[in-house]
Amino acid sequence: MTRRVPKLAFTEGTKLMSIGSPPKSLNTVGVVTHPRRNCDELFTAIVGWVRARGARLIGLPEEAPAGVSHADQLPGEDFASTADLVIAAGGDGTILRALALAAPAGIPVLGVNLGRLGFLAEVDPPELGRALEAVGAGEYRVEERLALECTLHTDDGPTTVRAFNDLVAWRTPGFGQAALAVSVGGELFARYAADGIIVATPTESTAYTLSVGGPIVSPVVDAILVTPLAPHGLFNRTLTIAAAELLEIDVLGESAPVVVERDGARERELTPGTRIAVRRSDAPGLLVRLGWTSFYGRARRKLQLADPIELGNTREVKDNPRPRA
């Protein structure tokens, strides 16, 4: 089956085609917020837009923000299945939390950046009004983001979690190095004595993996990145495998206990003899994209990439720089 590959930008003035399963109507809008961010102005814009459409507004009981106190409060298991669209206001952590709620129900998420970097967000607060108008007019598309299904095989039985950014297995401080074996498709690739291993999606390639020397990967690439953390050995490069391949990480007998984190949240500690199996999830994350910028434009802006041509040449280049004999 051929996967549809989304474009990274849209032609100005054209009707935008959606990818995935966008809602046919927007009768119910869910809001996920950062608990410590001031969202009052955003709530005013969202509430006005929802009321103008005659739609229903829902929130999560544990948040119940004052700005949308009149919204219906639904528990997490009912929240996404009821919503046609989820608006996540916060940083990347808030958007990842919204994706975790919305992905199983196939509901798209519009990210509004209230954080420092907000790489997953589509708009900043001043653009929200225009963004809502575009969404209401259907001038958007839904971009699929690879999610990882991660199964932790322990003595207590298997536990499966979903990650949209990364799964990190790292040593418990004070107990020595982690000893980890990485296998792909049942075949051993490498054993590492290291601080740990990052297993990341292309979405995460601009985050933790990048900070340890990993590559920037376009989100339309269907791949899983495996990057060792401070390995004791010469090989410290990122391994890129197809998303369809099975990745397995074994905690070896001589290893220190390993802490597993998923999208920044601690899951549990694994002891030697346990295994982590990672494969593509059948419930990808869905992000609303408006076409106002591309992944590369967003990366250039968010990562503050300096352009040496724009900076100018600060020294004079002589016609013949070679010294005379």
Side-chain angles (χ1 to χ4, degrees):
M1 179 178 178
T2 302
R3 291 175 60 84
R4 298 175 65 186
V5 180
K7 296 179 181 179
L8 292 176
F10 315 136
T11 304
E12 186 175 356
T14 60
K15 191 73 172 179
L16 306 181
M17 299 301 293
S18 297
I19 294 171
S21 301
K24 294 181 175 60
S25 60
L26 294 175
N27 297 320
T28 304
V29 177
V31 179
V32 176
T33 65
H34 190 288
R36 294 184 298 278
R37 304 286 186 191
N38 184 349
C39 302
D40 291 348
E41 289 187 20
L42 295 185
F43 293 149
T44 299
I46 293 170
V47 169
W49 181 70
V50 170
R51 283 178 173 171
R53 296 183 61 83
R56 179 189 183 193
L57 189 64
I58 61 174
L60 297 168
E62 60 269 23
E63 294 178 355
V68 287
S69 57
H70 63 284
D72 295 333
Q73 306 300 317
L74 298 180
E77 57 269 22
D78 299 326
F79 175 83
S81 61
T82 304
D84 298 311
L85 170 73
V86 172
I87 301 174
D92 283 342
T94 301
I95 298 173
L96 288 170
R97 185 158 56 90
L99 286 173
L101 289 167
I107 304 303
V109 174
L110 172 64
V112 185
N113 181 33
L114 293 178
R116 290 183 296 274
L117 190 60
F119 206 96
L120 290 174
E122 181 67 2
V123 295
D124 292 320
E127 304 166 323
L128 178 59
R130 187 162 67 102
L132 293 175
E133 290 179 5
V135 171
E139 296 177 348
Y140 69 100
R141 66 178 170 85
V142 177
E143 182 178 87
E144 282 193 10
R145 291 297 182 92
L146 174 70
L148 304 177
E149 181 182 289
C150 311
T151 303
L152 315 179
H153 295 277
T154 68
D155 293 338
D156 301 329
T159 301
T160 300
V161 297
R162 185 180 292 109
F164 297 93
N165 247 18
D166 57 25
L167 185 91
V168 182
W170 59 291
R171 69 184 184 91
T172 302
F175 287 85
Q177 290 289 298
L180 304 169
V182 172
S183 300
V184 181
E187 182 177 353
L188 176 67
F189 172 73
R191 295 186 180 93
Y192 296 97
D195 282 356
I197 286 177
I198 304 171
V199 180
T201 66
T203 294
E204 194 274 347
S205 69
T206 51
Y208 195 5
T209 294
L210 180 66
S211 72
V212 296
I216 295 176
V217 180
S218 166
V220 303
V221 174
D222 210 23
I224 298 173
L225 312 178
V226 186
T227 305
L229 291 168
H232 284 203
L234 295 178
F235 183 73
N236 63 351
R237 299 292 188 263
T238 295
L239 167 67
T240 303
I241 68 172
E245 294 182 287
L246 172 65
L247 172 71
E248 294 172 302
I249 301 173
D250 287 289
V251 184
L252 301 177
E254 61 270 28
S255 177
V258 171
V259 174
V260 174
E261 291 185 354
R262 184 253 310 172
D263 287 346
R266 178 176 172 136
E267 285 297 327
R268 62 178 300 170
E269 185 174 273
L270 299 182
T271 55
T274 56
R275 170 176 291 182
I276 306 168
V278 181
R279 52 174 56 86
R280 178 214 301 276
S281 171
D282 59 3
L286 302 176
L287 290 174
V288 170
R289 292 306 187 205
L290 302 169
W292 298 347
T293 185
S294 68
F295 165 76
Y296 303 103
R298 190 178 297 111
R300 179 182 176 87
R301 184 177 74 255
K302 297 287 187 178
L303 299 177
Q304 299 181 9
L305 300 181
D307 191 330
I309 303 301
E310 293 176 357
L311 293 176
N313 195 349
T314 57
R315 64 178 184 177
E316 235 177 67
V317 180
K318 297 182 179 179
D319 291 335
N320 186 4
R322 293 177 296 178
R324 294 181 180 177

